[in-house]
Amino acid sequence: MKGLQWNKSQSTLKMVEAPVPEVKPETVLLKVSHCGVCGTDLHIMQHEFRSGQLVILGHEFSGTIVKVGTGVNNVAVGDKVVVEPNSMCDTCRFCRRGKPHCCQKCLPDTIGLMQNGGMAEYCLVPAKYVVKFPEALPMDKAALVEPMACVVHGYEILGQIPDGTRMLVMGSGIIGQLWINMLHYRGFRDVTVVEVSEGRRQIVSNSGLGYRVLHPDDLQAEFKNANMGEDGFDIVVDCTGNPRALEMAYGLLCSGATLLVFGCSPANSKLTIDPSLIQTRELKILGVNVSPYCFIKAVSLVNDMAANYLKFDKLGIKKYSLEQYETALTELRAGEISKAMFCIDK
């Protein structure tokens, strides 16, 4: 089979020929249909995020089960499924407190980061981590379930959001796009989007959501003489992971506001902020890590939003073959698109 393999020691991503995995007890073999390129994949290739030494990337994918191992009873051959890539050990104090996303023992098993993932024609995964989705949901849109599950987790962390809340979303890559479309779907209208890339700003402008989208410089100029404790944003969702963007976001919070750190920042990066504002404005800074117990919810949400909100041209998603991976990465890094998705099962 063909697959895109990351070689950590050589810092290379290349197409390889690999044997189709053999089914084992309590695992299933998927024929992969579609696999998205995540911002995490880009961080891996920049050595800013953990990965295996030699691994086929891809943790956002859909496929059809072609073989099942002994002991599998939750799915069958022919089922269309998505894959929850994050495992849990079930024994540590975090797992036993219902916080498997904090589990430290399961990291070596993460699919697409530490174990071979979905940027290949076939992928072997534990049966307990596959989730069936409705027949009516197209395979390509089903590949958005994993990132949407992370968005669902972030949304739940925010808690109940009052009417009239003023929100800012930093970054309009695919995660920013999923956030703003989900917010619109849930009825929120006072949302501003800030984005460096002109191409991605245009994607938001053409989305039909009616949200303001600005370059960071224009947004800061707009608030230059404002009383931020009064005039700032109630919720800022950072989807960039860029330390400078986070510093900017912190300065745009009004009293009682929340900063949701969603984007992946490079390890050991630093922020310079005024900590007195946390006390005087009663600010909250919250992190979001993967998607515990959110996959079933995300399948339902993607299915409900698919027709009106998750059109690929509207979101700036472009499809490529595996062989076009270099072009896909170039266009993604340049900000010409919000997401690259590999169409594997043709």
Side-chain angles (χ1 to χ4, degrees):
M1 69 172 188
K2 295 178 180 178
L4 291 179
Q5 188 181 69
W6 166 245
N7 187 317
K8 186 175 181 178
S9 61
Q10 297 180 8
S11 297
T12 57
L13 180 72
K14 63 181 181 180
M15 183 77 71
V16 299
E17 284 287 343
V20 175
E22 294 289 333
V23 135
K24 301 173 183 177
E26 299 183 346
T27 66
V28 297
L29 182 66
L30 301 188
K31 185 173 178 58
V32 180
S33 175
H34 290 79
C35 183
V37 180
C38 178
T40 302
D41 297 315
L42 300 183
H43 282 296
I44 286 172
M45 286 180 262
Q46 295 165 352
H47 296 275
E48 296 173 347
F49 204 85
R50 64 183 183 270
S51 74
Q53 288 294 330
L54 202 63
V55 62
I56 292 174
L57 297 180
H59 59 276
E60 305 175 354
F61 59 105
S62 62
T64 303
I65 296 177
V66 293
K67 288 184 181 180
V68 298
T70 57
V72 175
N73 53 28
N74 60 316
V75 288
V77 171
D79 284 345
K80 296 179 179 180
V81 297
V82 288
V83 177
E84 186 167 5
N86 306 293
S87 61
M88 61 183 77
C89 75
D90 293 327
T91 60
C92 73
R93 68 189 186 99
F94 296 110
C95 286
R96 289 185 170 182
R97 290 175 177 175
K99 296 187 176 184
H101 53 305
C102 298
C103 176
Q104 301 298 300
K105 297 179 181 179
C106 65
L107 294 180
D109 298 324
T110 307
I111 297 167
L113 279 76
M114 310 299 288
Q115 303 293 331
N116 286 337
M119 292 185 189
E121 294 176 294
Y122 294 90
C123 186
L124 185 70
V125 298
K128 65 180 180 179
Y129 296 127
V130 298
V131 180
K132 291 189 284 188
F133 59 85
E135 282 287 332
L137 181 62
M139 282 284 206
D140 54 357
K141 294 184 180 180
L144 296 176
V145 166
E146 195 280 337
M148 185 65 86
C150 297
V151 172
V152 169
H153 179 44
Y155 183 78
E156 291 181 345
I157 285 174
L158 288 172
Q160 185 174 357
I161 302 175
D163 292 337
T165 296
R166 187 183 304 150
M167 287 183 269
L168 173 66
V169 175
M170 308 275 291
S172 62
I174 189 57
I175 289 297
Q177 286 284 342
L178 292 180
W179 263 100
I180 64 175
N181 278 273
M182 181 272 295
L183 290 171
H184 194 276
Y185 172 76
R186 296 189 185 279
F188 297 101
R189 296 295 182 266
D190 193 350
V191 177
T192 299
V193 184
V194 64
E195 169 60 54
V196 173
S197 164
E198 181 179 355
R200 289 180 178 172
R201 289 199 304 276
Q202 196 60 51
I203 291 171
V204 178
S205 296
N206 295 338
S207 67
L209 300 178
Y211 292 159
R212 289 199 317 153
V213 55
L214 301 170
H215 188 279
D217 293 343
D218 295 330
L219 184 64
Q220 286 190 305
E222 185 176 295
F223 283 95
K224 183 177 180 180
N225 298 313
N227 176 356
M228 295 311 301
E230 174 72 23
D231 301 327
F233 293 94
D234 301 298
I235 293 174
V236 178
V237 180
D238 178 73
C239 300
T240 71
N242 185 301
R244 304 292 77 77
L246 283 165
E247 290 178 351
M248 175 183 170
Y250 182 81
L252 294 171
L253 299 171
C254 70
S255 294
T258 299
L259 171 59
L260 193 70
V261 182
F262 194 100
C264 296
S265 299
N268 302 314
S269 48
K270 308 294 182 184
L271 295 180
T272 301
I273 61 173
D274 178 357
S276 71
L277 297 182
I278 298 175
Q279 184 263 322
T280 58
R281 294 187 188 174
E282 290 198 352
L283 304 179
K284 296 185 182 71
I285 302 176
L286 303 174
V288 182
N289 184 32
V290 299
S291 53
Y293 307 118
C294 290
F295 248 70
I296 297 296
K297 303 170 191 173
V299 166
S300 178
L301 186 58
V302 168
N303 188 57
D304 291 345
M305 291 178 61
N308 294 325
Y309 285 93
L310 302 182
K311 297 176 181 178
F312 277 27
D313 56 346
K314 174 183 172 182
L315 294 174
I317 301 174
K318 187 175 178 179
K319 293 182 184 178
Y320 305 82
S321 66
L322 279 178
E323 291 81 1
Q324 295 174 304
Y325 72 95
E326 291 180 312
T327 301
L329 293 175
T330 297
E331 294 182 357
L332 183 59
R333 286 170 173 146
E336 298 174 18
I337 56 176
S338 67
K339 188 172 191 66
M341 182 173 289
F342 295 119
C343 180
I344 299 170
D345 185 7
K346 304 171 185 177

